[in-house]
């Protein structure tokens, strides 16, 4: 059975990605590694542990990753915008009991390298926050990283504007150097960016299904996602729902046929107004090997069906 590592900056759509993987019987969640972004590393780890307990999976280990971007000197603390979109605690202000567990002593980067060596092509790695942990793993042990079967990341925007600046998407903007190193490393990746994630929207009607499931996990998730939909309605009312960024990356990681892609050798702009933009690397334009598949089309009905059934299963609805 394939093993999945989720690298989460555990906010609301990360929480949905977690439920999506746990509701997918064909894979095993080998571990959650923590990054910063929607919240601090510390709060993200706390959320991951609490959500795993809520979903009835206390056996899944959690590992602490890097607490800040490659070039930063201080640990990342939650920004005002993230606190608005994901709530001050990253999960819509919903208070979950703290897990009695703690993150493992093994650092996230060590865990990723160890699993890459142990599982090779059977390992699927899904980073849904800044790419700092992956960049560190690539620096430390590129050979191990190249053994990973599939790397599907949520981040970037190729054909649409960014959501932090006109050029930059949130995950890439939080550590552009890390993302640039990952893309230029030649590691085979699939980029699930705003081009597709803003085509997949969850509406209040969808969340009502979870409200009606009646389990503690479903009720908590419904309240968490209600907050996210409310926050989206304040900032991007024309969308009519909330973007399913991280769950779409998780879904594509299990079933790449959900998206159509274009092969591009990407780079990230690091200077000035364009800092954080994901764009083709001119120096590798004519290289016939394309290291990144950029998702530009998505089978929305099939993804939404998968999302409702898999998240519903994780929430105890058994669909
Ligand atoms: C990405 O940024 C984070 O806020 C979300 O969790 C998602 O991973 C969307 O730009
Ligand atoms: Ca995320």
């Amino acid at each position: 059975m394939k093993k999945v590592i989720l690298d989460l900056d555990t906010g609301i759509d990360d929480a949905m990605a977690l439920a999506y993987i746990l509701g997918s019987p064909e894979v095993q969640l080998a571990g959650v590694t923590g990054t910063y972004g929607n919240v601090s590393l510390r709060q993200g780890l706390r959320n991951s542990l609490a959500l795993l307990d809520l979903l009835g999976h206390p056996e899944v280990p959690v590992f602490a990753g890097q607490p800040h971007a490659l070039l930063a000197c201080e640990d990342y603390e939650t920004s005002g915008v993230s606190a608005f979109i994901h709530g001050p605690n990253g999960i819509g202000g919903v208070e979950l009991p703290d897990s009695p567990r703690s993150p493992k002593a093994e650092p996230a980067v060590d865990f990723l390298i160890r699993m890459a060596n142990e599982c090779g092509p059977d390992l699927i790695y899904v980073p849904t926050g800044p790419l700092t942990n992956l960049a560190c793993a690539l620096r430390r042990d590129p050979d191990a990283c190249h053994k990973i079967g599939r790397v599907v990341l949520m981040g970037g925007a190729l054909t649409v504007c960014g959501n932090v600046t006109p050029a930059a998407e949130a995950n890439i903007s939080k550590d552009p150097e890390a993302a640039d190193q990952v893309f230029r490393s030649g590691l085979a990746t699939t980029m699930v960016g705003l081009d597709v994630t803003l085509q997949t929207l969850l509406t209040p009607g969808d969340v009502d299904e979870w409200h009606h499931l009646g389990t503690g996990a479903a009720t908590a998730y419904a309240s968490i996602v209600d907050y996210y939909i409310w926050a989206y309605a304040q900032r991007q009312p024309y969308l009519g729902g909330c973007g399913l960024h991280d769950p779409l990356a998780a879904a594509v990681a299990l079933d790449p046929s959900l998206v159509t892609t274009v092969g591009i050798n990407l780079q990230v702009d690091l200077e000035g107004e364009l800092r954080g933009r994901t764009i083709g690397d001119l120096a590798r334009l004519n290289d016939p090997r394309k290291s990144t598949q950029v998702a530009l089309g998505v089978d929305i009905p099939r993804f939404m069906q998968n999302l409702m059934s898999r998240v519903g299963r994780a929430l105890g609805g058994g669909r």
Side-chain angles (χ1 to χ4, degrees), residues 200-202 206 244 300-309:
T200 55
L201 298 163
L202 197 72
D206 299 320
L244 289 167
I300 300 167
R302 197 154 65 85
F303 167 63
M304 290 306 296
Q305 207 172 27
N306 283 356
L307 178 100
M308 294 310 290
S309 66

Side-chain angles (χ1 to χ4, degrees), residues 9 13 38 128-131 153-158 160-176 179 191-195 197-198 245-246 268 274-278:
D9 59 328
D13 58 328
N38 293 322
T128 66
L131 293 172
L153 63 102
M154 192 285 134
L158 193 75
V160 295
C161 294
N163 56 359
V164 170
T165 70
E169 179 279 333
N171 289 338
I172 304 295
S173 82
K174 295 213 165 71
D175 196 348
M191 177 177 120
V192 176
L194 300 179
D195 312 273
T197 64
L198 285 177
H245 310 288
D246 297 348
V268 178
L274 296 180
R275 181 167 165 80
R277 179 175 70 153
T278 46

Side-chain angles (χ1 to χ4, degrees), residues 72-125:
C73 302
E74 289 180 2
D75 290 2
Y76 176 88
E77 293 298 336
T78 312
S79 73
V81 179
S82 298
F84 180 78
I85 296 173
H86 294 268
N89 66 352
I91 47 174
V94 173
E95 294 291 342
L96 296 179
D98 271 330
S99 173
R101 299 187 296 141
S102 302
K104 298 286 179 193
E106 185 180 15
V109 173
D110 296 38
F111 173 65
L112 175 58
I113 291 171
R114 177 166 67 80
M115 290 297 287
N117 281 320
E118 278 174 26
C119 307
D122 287 331
L123 182 64
I124 300 173
Y125 179 62

Side-chain angles (χ1 to χ4, degrees), residues 24-66:
S24 297
E26 73 271 36
V27 293
Q28 185 206 342
L29 182 59
V32 172
T33 53
T35 184
Y36 60 89
N38 293 322
V39 286
S40 64
L41 172 68
R42 184 181 63 254
Q43 182 64 35
L45 293 168
R46 190 175 166 198
N47 291 348
S48 294
L49 288 162
L51 289 165
L52 284 165
D53 288 1
L54 176 75
L55 295 168
H57 284 279
E59 79 286 1
V60 176
V62 174
F63 302 83
Q66 301 302 112

